[in-house]
Amino acid sequence: MNINSVIAKTYIFSNKKLTAVAVLGVVLGMSIYIFMNSMMVGFDKSSNTSIFKSTSHIRVYKDDEISKPLVNEDNEKPIIINPKVVPVNNTIINPNLVIETILKQKEVTVVTPQVNSNVFYNNGKSQISGLAVGIKPDEANQMYNIKSFMVDGDFDLLKSNPNGIIVGSGVSQKMNLLINDNINLTSSKGVNRNFKIVGIFKTNNSNIDKTKSYINIASAQQLLKEGASYITDINVNIDDFENAETVAKKIENITGYKAEGWKQANETLMAANRMRKMIITFVSLTILLVAGFGIYNILNMTVSQKINDIAILKAMGFKGKDVIRIFVTQAVSIGIMGVVGGILLATILITILKKVYVGGDIGYFPIDYETKKFIQGTVIGLIITFFAGYIPAKKAANVDPVEIFRK
């Protein structure tokens, strides 16, 4: 250990109370930064998991056509300026060719067609509205992992039973339905058909569980009085869901159909997530900066108290950079102690909260040990403590021993 480090160590332990206060500030700042940012990542993961239980990364569909204003050919002034939705069939033409084209894209992992049918669920005198989703069971399970949130029945029975239906837990509870019970569906086209319940799922999203059901795609087409080529949506999953918007534009260009990324389809939720990230980042960084100001004030006070010592050191031949090293070493040492303590405290907090069941759509508290956030917090904490020590260190380095001795 060189003489600069020895002097820095002496300053650290010469006033243990001030050092303890500075370390505690960094501990709290670090732990809160890691905890809040890990919680933010946990909320994002929980939110995405919930979304992808029923939403694909990209949805391909035929968008509604809007009528153009009727224009007078002579002066090009609009005669009719109130555009309306053009009533055209929203089916995708030649869906198999579109699916093959999409599958050729290197980013794409799963593609499956879907038919959505607004229905009424009927059981005796009970009736509730909902959405029956026509799927190809194997492909849909590969995309949404439906088997993972099944709570009763067997998902595979949907493949072998053309009249099978898998309903949300909310639908089964509202209508007092169990496995092997029959349920009648009335479509928007007035078609009535009986189905046998082969499974019940629970996504923990109450809006989905109370309205949604899965049936075979052929059954959904029959409910809408359509043929085997009728497809309302083509759902696409890619290798990295964060690139969904970019890939969606690419698919839109090559297919001619509207392609919508999952973020675009959930704009309100995404806006709420961005606001949450901004607030958490601002609060956690502010707490770390406050801890840095604490170190700055303590070292500034130390410089004032040790001004004579600094003058003597410089008179003995210590250079300005040596003085800077002394105080920066003191600041970084406090920072390291605070960082270690902060990591330990954050780990304890995360461990405790991971076991807390909050219920509802969330389940257990959505937080985990995010290595990236631990590293990020450590780097930011050490940078702040370095500059918190460097500023008063520069002041100490500029001390003129002759002026001090004259006083």
Side-chain angles (χ1 to χ4, degrees):
M1 185 180 293
N2 60 39
I3 188 64
N4 293 339
S5 300
V6 172
I7 296 171
K9 182 179 178 183
T10 302
Y11 285 166
I12 290 171
F13 293 104
S14 62
N15 197 334
K16 294 180 182 178
K17 288 185 179 179
L18 284 177
T19 300
V21 169
V23 171
L24 182 60
V26 179
V27 168
L28 292 175
M30 271 291 300
S31 60
I32 292 173
Y33 180 89
I34 294 171
F35 170 77
M36 293 187 73
N37 281 275
S38 294
M39 182 176 64
M40 179 176 68
V41 173
F43 277 133
D44 284 345
K45 287 182 178 179
S46 175
S47 175
N48 291 345
T49 300
S50 178
I51 288 172
F52 294 142
K53 283 180 179 179
S54 59
T55 303
S56 59
H57 298 166
I58 299 170
R59 174 187 170 221
V60 181
Y61 62 100
K62 187 175 182 179
D63 201 8
D64 292 328
E65 294 182 16
I66 306 297
S67 61
K68 297 179 181 179
L70 185 61
V71 177
N72 188 314
E73 293 182 0
D74 296 332
N75 54 19
E76 296 187 354
K77 289 183 178 179
I79 300 172
I80 299 176
I81 57 173
N82 187 19
K84 305 289 185 181
V85 174
V86 179
V88 295
N89 197 325
N90 64 346
T91 186
I92 294 175
I93 306 301
N94 200 348
N96 291 332
L97 178 61
V98 176
I99 290 171
E100 288 177 10
T101 303
I102 295 172
L103 276 171
K104 290 177 182 178
Q105 309 309 307
K106 61 180 180 180
E107 303 92 345
V108 174
T109 56
V110 186
V111 181
T112 185
Q114 179 175 301
V115 175
N116 295 329
S117 176
N118 293 314
V119 297
F120 284 105
Y121 300 109
N122 309 298
N123 184 31
K125 292 184 178 180
S126 299
Q127 185 182 72
I128 58 175
S129 61
L131 179 70
V133 180
I135 59 171
K136 291 185 175 180
D138 285 335
E139 294 176 3
N141 181 62
Q142 189 179 356
M143 177 165 286
Y144 305 120
N145 196 15
I146 300 173
K147 288 183 180 179
S148 68
F149 46 89
M150 292 283 294
V151 293
D152 201 1
D154 186 355
F155 178 81
D156 290 328
L157 290 176
L158 191 63
K159 293 185 290 184
S160 57
N161 188 345
N163 294 317
I165 185 172
I166 296 173
V167 298
S169 57
V171 175
S172 68
Q173 289 171 7
K174 274 189 172 183
M175 308 198 78
N176 195 26
L177 295 167
L178 301 173
I179 297 298
N180 295 322
D181 285 351
N182 291 321
I183 184 173
N184 177 266
L185 268 63
T186 304
S187 73
S188 58
K189 296 292 182 69
V191 177
N192 277 286
R193 182 168 173 179
N194 292 321
F195 289 85
K196 182 178 180 181
I197 297 176
V198 297
I200 298 172
F201 67 84
K202 185 176 182 180
T203 64
N204 285 325
N205 184 322
S206 56
N207 290 331
I208 293 174
D209 294 339
K210 290 179 181 178
T211 59
K212 197 169 188 178
S213 64
Y214 291 107
I215 58 179
N216 283 289
I217 195 167
S219 299
Q221 290 163 342
Q222 291 165 12
L223 283 173
L224 295 173
K225 297 181 179 179
E226 299 289 351
S229 63
Y230 181 82
I231 298 295
T232 58
D233 302 89
I234 294 176
N235 297 315
V236 182
N237 270 8
I238 57 177
D239 49 13
D240 184 1
F241 60 82
E242 290 294 342
N243 295 328
E245 308 302 320
T246 303
V247 179
K249 289 179 181 178
K250 184 178 177 182
I251 290 174
E252 193 169 298
N253 290 332
I254 61 175
T255 63
Y257 289 104
K258 178 71 175 176
E260 183 178 65
W262 65 278
K263 289 183 180 179
Q264 187 179 352
N266 297 275
E267 286 184 353
T268 302
L269 183 61
M270 292 300 104
N273 285 348
R274 285 193 294 271
M275 288 173 60
R276 184 177 65 231
K277 286 179 181 179
M278 289 170 65
I279 292 170
I280 288 177
T281 301
F282 175 77
V283 171
S284 57
L285 277 175
T286 299
I287 293 171
L288 265 180
L289 285 171
V290 169
F293 276 115
I295 295 174
Y296 167 79
N297 288 330
I298 288 170
L299 291 182
N300 209 29
M301 193 185 305
T302 302
V303 170
S304 299
Q305 291 175 347
K306 305 292 185 181
I307 195 73
N308 290 329
D309 294 353
I310 295 168
I312 292 170
L313 289 173
K314 294 197 74 174
M316 291 171 60
F318 278 74
K319 297 178 181 178
K321 62 182 181 181
D322 294 314
V323 176
I324 290 174
R325 287 196 188 102
I326 290 170
F327 286 98
V328 168
T329 300
Q330 184 180 352
V332 172
S333 298
I334 292 171
I336 290 172
M337 288 187 283
V339 164
V340 173
I343 289 173
L344 291 174
L345 182 57
T347 303
I348 292 169
L349 289 173
I350 292 170
T351 301
I352 293 171
L353 282 174
K354 274 186 69 175
K355 299 177 182 177
V356 175
Y357 185 78
V358 294
D361 295 347
I362 298 175
Y364 285 95
F365 198 90
I367 193 169
D368 207 346
Y369 311 104
E370 299 295 335
T371 304
K372 184 178 178 180
K373 296 303 175 184
F374 276 78
I375 296 172
Q376 198 177 78
T378 300
V379 172
I380 293 174
L382 290 176
I383 289 173
I384 290 174
T385 54
F386 171 82
F387 283 104
Y390 183 79
I391 296 171
K394 282 288 289 182
K395 176 183 174 182
N398 294 327
V399 167
D400 186 352
V402 176
E403 290 293 328
I404 298 300
F405 292 146
R406 280 178 180 173
K407 295 177 183 179

